[in-house]
Amino acid sequence: MEGKIIHDGIHGSMKLSGLILDLVKTPEFQRLRSIRQLGLAYLVYPGANHSRFEHSLGAWNVAKRLAQEVELGENESMLLQVGALLHDIGHGPFSHTFESIYKHYVKEHDHMRLGQDIILGRINITESENGGKIPEIIESYGYDFGPNDVAKLILGQSKEKYLGQMLHGDVDVDQIDYLIRDAHYTGVAHGIIDLERLLKVLKIHNGELVVDEKGIEAVEGMMVARSLMYSRVYFHHTVKIAEGMLTRALEFAMEEGYLWDFWKMTDCRVIVELEDLEGLPAEMVRRVKYRELYKAAVLASADEMTPDEKKELLSAYRNVKRRQEIERSLADAVGAREGEVILEFSIADLMLSEPRLKATEINVLLGNGEIQPLTKVTPLANALKRRQTPRWAVLIASPPKYVKKLKESWKRVLFN
């Protein structure tokens, strides 16, 4: 079978052919070259310029290898590979940066739903006339799955539980690739995991994905990597400030009736469009572009707040309008202009009095044939679930000249 070789910085030479190659050639998939995997993290980690395109290829490669290791049949293997390849196809500019805007302003276009619409051919997200052909391509190969099965798998829904877990589980092909890739390109050694060992210790048992008891250390290593990458990279406060600034620029633009189709754009296009609007959006974008970022005035942990204060902040996390009101009050209190004070949150669960620990999905197959949840077999899993958040829960940032005043007045403004 004729194919193409792609040389990847993480997985080396990967051979693409058939359905996978045809999907990679689509304008929708090529668009992912112009969307940075880690949003604005390159402002802190200069090497973090890798794209959703290369991560998606990497996830496909891990899926292909995992399918071989657990001996999936040809149809299931291909369904998993297509799901892994297309799992990020709906991502908008700067990856996760604009999540709150999707939730509040354009609910029908969050990246998961958009991904489904692209795979089902309901929408052409590109300006190319060759767009919108993904469902035809999938159907033309005659496998016993169609675009609908792929769209469902991407949401973690699948007739076979183990297939959903392989793409959306505690140990899945998406995370395996992004942890290794993000560690490599940021230069943060925390994300390094033992890929070869992980692939060898995953098994299918009674219809679900389990880890062999011999491989617990490999899974623990991955969980440690994920936890440390969250605090060191994904929730680095300077990255969060830059993302907050860019988000406010886009919010202002949308309030004025502009850029409602931002979700179709690529990173560069959003920046250019926002700069063209002048006023606050242009000023914010220029600051981000030249790294003239706001400074953190407050980095408060959940422990520093009373239950009532947490409740108040949780309502602001859930409601963009409420967050904007608080930002305006803080700006008024220190004499800043609207948009010059931003309030950011780390994972909202932190704000609750007890962090709700996500259930650890993966089970361990013990030597005697018994199945036990990972948390029962290793105390490390529980500890990491608790730790998987940055040290700060609330971040308030502004231009340097307001930092001192904000430090003194934020609690009074927020909680009185």
Side-chain angles (χ1 to χ4, degrees):
M1 191 189 286
E2 278 303 297
K4 265 198 165 51
I5 303 280
I6 290 185
H7 301 287
D8 177 55
I10 302 301
H11 302 297
S13 301
M14 308 185 296
K15 186 170 184 183
L16 283 68
S17 59
L19 173 53
I20 298 298
L21 182 56
D22 282 351
L23 289 170
V24 167
K25 286 177 177 172
T26 60
E28 288 88 346
F29 195 82
Q30 292 295 319
R31 171 183 168 274
L32 297 178
R33 290 179 186 274
S34 305
I35 293 172
R36 279 193 178 91
Q37 171 76 6
L38 290 183
L40 294 168
Y42 67 92
L43 291 168
V44 176
Y45 301 102
N49 283 300
H50 54 303
S51 67
R52 288 271 153 191
F53 178 87
E54 55 204 275
H55 161 60
S56 297
L57 281 170
W60 158 74
N61 184 60
V62 178
K64 183 182 172 191
R65 294 188 58 194
L66 179 59
Q68 285 166 346
E69 289 290 346
V70 299
E71 297 177 352
L72 291 183
E74 191 188 352
N75 276 297
E76 281 194 338
S77 166
M78 204 37 133
L79 173 56
L80 178 65
Q81 289 181 50
V82 172
L85 185 77
L86 301 182
H87 77 283
D88 276 345
I89 198 83
H91 258 294
F94 294 104
S95 293
H96 291 285
T97 300
F98 298 133
E99 289 293 333
S100 63
I101 290 185
Y102 287 111
K103 283 193 187 91
H104 181 75
Y105 291 92
V106 285
K107 294 182 179 69
E108 70 276 19
H109 291 311
D110 66 73
H111 77 266
M112 296 297 260
R113 212 171 305 188
L114 202 51
Q116 276 197 305
D117 286 346
I118 292 168
I119 289 163
L120 297 173
R122 292 182 189 143
I123 195 166
N124 177 9
I125 200 172
T126 70
E127 287 161 2
S128 165
E129 59 206 32
N130 293 320
K133 296 190 178 152
I134 286 178
E136 288 167 43
I137 294 169
I138 293 171
E139 279 164 353
S140 72
Y141 274 82
Y143 288 102
D144 73 354
F145 61 84
N148 215 18
D149 301 297
V150 177
K152 277 190 170 151
L153 179 59
I154 283 174
L155 293 182
Q157 302 155 359
S158 164
K159 287 196 285 265
E160 303 298 347
K161 185 178 178 187
Y162 54 83
L163 281 180
Q165 288 174 307
M166 286 174 186
L167 195 51
H168 267 289
D170 233 34
V171 181
D172 61 40
V173 300
D174 173 27
Q175 284 187 84
I176 288 173
D177 183 79
Y178 78 63
L179 286 172
I180 300 173
R181 194 171 295 279
D182 296 350
H184 177 81
Y185 287 107
T186 54
V188 173
H190 296 318
I192 295 164
I193 61 179
D194 190 348
L195 168 65
E196 300 305 320
R197 182 78 180 136
L198 267 175
L199 291 176
K200 292 273 185 282
V201 297
L202 291 171
K203 304 243 181 306
I204 295 170
H205 180 81
N206 291 344
E208 65 172 301
L209 190 67
V210 297
V211 60
D212 194 297
E213 188 178 14
K214 297 196 294 281
I216 287 170
E217 290 80 7
V219 176
E220 286 178 327
M222 176 174 168
M223 294 178 83
V224 169
R226 181 175 62 191
S227 184
L228 294 174
M229 288 296 282
Y230 263 87
S231 35
R232 269 298 295 283
V233 178
Y234 309 138
F235 282 91
H236 189 292
H237 67 272
T238 309
V239 176
K240 274 299 191 201
I241 290 171
E243 289 178 351
M245 291 172 70
L246 198 57
T247 299
R248 299 315 177 275
L250 185 52
E251 278 177 7
F252 271 85
M254 292 176 81
E255 295 280 354
E256 298 291 316
Y258 300 107
L259 262 70
W260 275 80
D261 59 349
F262 75 90
W263 46 271
K264 284 184 178 175
M265 297 177 185
T266 56
D267 294 4
C268 291
R269 177 81 186 275
V270 164
I271 294 290
V272 169
E273 296 274 349
L274 285 169
E275 268 191 304
D276 284 352
L277 290 177
E278 297 180 348
L280 186 103
E283 187 188 321
M284 290 285 228
V285 165
R286 272 194 290 276
R287 274 179 164 275
V288 169
K289 213 164 138 183
Y290 300 113
R291 208 183 181 284
E292 293 160 6
L293 303 178
Y294 291 174
K295 293 282 176 274
V298 176
L299 279 169
S301 75
D303 303 341
E304 293 171 47
M305 286 173 276
T306 66
D308 284 349
E309 288 172 348
K310 286 179 198 169
K311 241 186 226 136
E312 169 67 27
L313 284 165
L314 197 57
S315 75
Y317 170 85
R318 290 190 174 133
N319 182 335
V320 167
K321 283 274 172 267
R322 178 80 192 102
R323 191 249 301 141
Q324 290 169 338
E325 278 167 26
I326 293 174
E327 287 174 341
R328 278 194 287 272
S329 306
L330 286 165
D332 288 348
V334 299
R337 291 177 301 160
E338 185 174 359
E340 285 193 311
V341 176
I342 63 174
L343 173 64
E344 284 292 315
F345 304 93
S346 66
I347 302 165
D349 296 353
L350 247 190
M351 307 297 300
L352 301 166
S353 39
E354 272 307 305
R356 287 168 304 169
L357 308 180
K358 286 193 332 207
T360 307
E361 277 187 11
I362 194 134
N363 283 324
V364 179
L365 176 60
L366 301 177
N368 62 7
E370 255 183 75
I371 289 284
Q372 287 275 4
L374 185 67
T375 39
K376 283 267 169 54
V377 184
T378 162
L380 190 57
N382 268 330
L384 287 169
K385 287 288 180 186
R386 243 183 235 107
R387 188 212 172 273
Q388 198 187 326
T389 37
R391 285 188 293 275
W392 60 273
V394 178
L395 162 65
I396 301 172
S398 69
K401 61 181 172 185
Y402 304 116
V403 163
K404 189 167 175 289
K405 276 189 186 164
L406 274 172
K407 270 192 205 317
E408 291 160 2
S409 62
W410 75 281
K411 276 208 166 187
R412 192 176 68 244
V413 175
L414 251 72
F415 304 128
N416 279 357

